[in-house]
Amino acid sequence: QVQLVESGGGSVQAGGSLTLSCVASKYTYSPVCMGWFRQAPGKAREGVAGIDSRGSTTYADSVKGRFTISQDNAKNTLYLQMNSLKPEDTAMYYCAAHSAQFIACGTWGWYYVGGPGTQVTVSS
């Protein structure tokens, strides 16, 4: 698999912004897609955003227009710019990757979700 380490979480007020980062290393296979997931207390983990090696992106409906996923391949780093944050965005955020060819980045069940995660808390 791959080693993933997230950072950048924190506490903000509604309407604020945060940028999450994820450094990926120790690949077994080069990822086809990288993504971000989140899990709020008492809720199932959900896919938030994905990006392929060409830079094509996909987003969950709940974050479209507010979140932007990007990557710096030279630094093996994935980012999630989060704007206009809402209290319902409060969750632990995780970096993820999958290496399955021909599987779209929005097919969330194919991802390996690793790393300790980073907490995002949005207050109203």
Side-chain angles (χ1 to χ4, degrees), residues 26-45:
K26 300 182 181 179
Y27 299 103
T28 301
Y29 300 99
S30 295
V32 172
C33 296
M34 297 290 296
W36 288 97
F37 283 67
R38 67 186 182 186
Q39 187 166 20
K43 294 188 177 181
R45 188 171 61 197

Side-chain angles (χ1 to χ4, degrees), residues 12-68:
V12 297
Q13 290 190 326
S17 298
L18 282 173
T19 300
L20 307 183
S21 299
C22 168
V23 177
S25 62
K26 300 182 181 179
Y27 299 103
T28 301
Y29 300 99
S30 295
V32 172
C33 296
M34 297 290 296
W36 288 97
F37 283 67
R38 67 186 182 186
Q39 187 166 20
K43 294 188 177 181
R45 188 171 61 197
E46 61 175 347
V48 173
I51 186 169
D52 69 15
S53 57
R54 297 170 298 175
S56 295
T57 58
T58 186
Y59 297 94
D61 288 342
S62 58
V63 306
K64 280 181 181 176
R66 300 188 299 121
F67 290 11
T68 302

Side-chain angles (χ1 to χ4, degrees), residues 43-102:
K43 294 188 177 181
R45 188 171 61 197
E46 61 175 347
V48 173
I51 186 169
D52 69 15
S53 57
R54 297 170 298 175
S56 295
T57 58
T58 186
Y59 297 94
D61 288 342
S62 58
V63 306
K64 280 181 181 176
R66 300 188 299 121
F67 290 11
T68 302
I69 187 171
S70 62
Q71 59 191 355
D72 184 334
N73 292 327
K75 296 181 179 179
N76 291 330
T77 302
L78 182 72
Y79 302 98
L80 185 68
Q81 173 68 44
M82 305 185 295
N83 297 326
S84 302
L85 282 162
K86 304 175 181 180
E88 51 263 44
D89 294 317
T90 295
M92 186 72 81
Y93 283 71
Y94 300 92
C95 187
H98 85 65
S99 302
Q101 296 287 342
F102 311 119

